[in-house]
Amino acid sequence: PAGDPAKGANVFKKCMACHAVGEGAKNKVGPELNGIVDRKMGAVEGFNYSDTLKEHNAKGDVWTAEVLSKYLENPKAYMPGIKMVFAGLPKETDRADLLAYLSGFNAD
Ligand code: HEM
């Protein structure tokens, strides 16, 4: 289901302690998330990823919208070994809204 990007901007507040998006976004505790939908896993230059994300990068794995939604529902359950400390977004609508928002930072 298509999410609402305006609501997604609000959901993204839960991520902002650790992640930035938009023009000039820098790595924080987590990597910047510009273009994250369909971006290769573990691909931001200069960010010190866990071995888990380095291995996914080496395999060429990609953050599709479907994978992102499963991951964000419960990060540690979906991807053991990830060093992202976040409980997750249990509501499907929150995840859809957030992904609609983040898709706005993909170059078309
Ligand atoms: C990694 C999204 C919340 C810290 C990632 C990645 C995504 C993501 C997609 C993988 C990036 C890549 O492969 O380049 C999100 C979203 C959040 C959120 C959408 C909110 C809903 C947080 C929070 C923290 C955090 C609150 C800090 C407390 C990290 C760290 C990594 C990471 C440290 C790197 C993990 C590793 O190398 O294993 N995040 N995140 N994230 N995130 Fe988050």
Side-chain angles (χ1 to χ4, degrees):
D4 177 340
K7 289 183 183 164
N10 200 47
V11 178
F12 189 70
K13 289 178 184 164
K14 296 181 189 237
C15 322
M16 287 177 65
C18 303
H19 293 284
V21 279
E23 205 181 324
K26 301 246 187 323
N27 297 332
K28 301 166 78 175
V29 175
E32 55 87 1
L33 294 179
N34 284 328
I36 191 62
V37 181
D38 294 329
R39 195 168 88 183
K40 218 171 138 183
M41 293 185 184
V44 173
E45 289 296 321
F47 185 81
N48 185 27
Y49 288 103
S50 61
D51 289 347
T52 300
L53 272 176
K54 287 178 187 161
E55 282 161 21
H56 281 290
N57 179 274
K59 285 194 280 182
D61 293 340
V62 169
W63 288 115
T64 63
E66 194 185 346
V67 166
L68 279 167
S69 183
K70 288 182 189 156
Y71 169 68
L72 292 171
E73 183 176 9
N74 188 337
K76 298 248 180 198
Y78 185 77
M79 192 174 279
I82 194 95
K83 66 174 187 185
M84 169 162 140
V85 180
F86 181 67
L89 298 171
K91 288 170 69 180
E92 208 277 357
T93 50
D94 281 350
R95 301 195 302 277
D97 291 344
L98 176 67
L99 290 178
Y101 173 69
L102 290 174
S103 299
F105 300 97
N106 277 47
D108 45 22

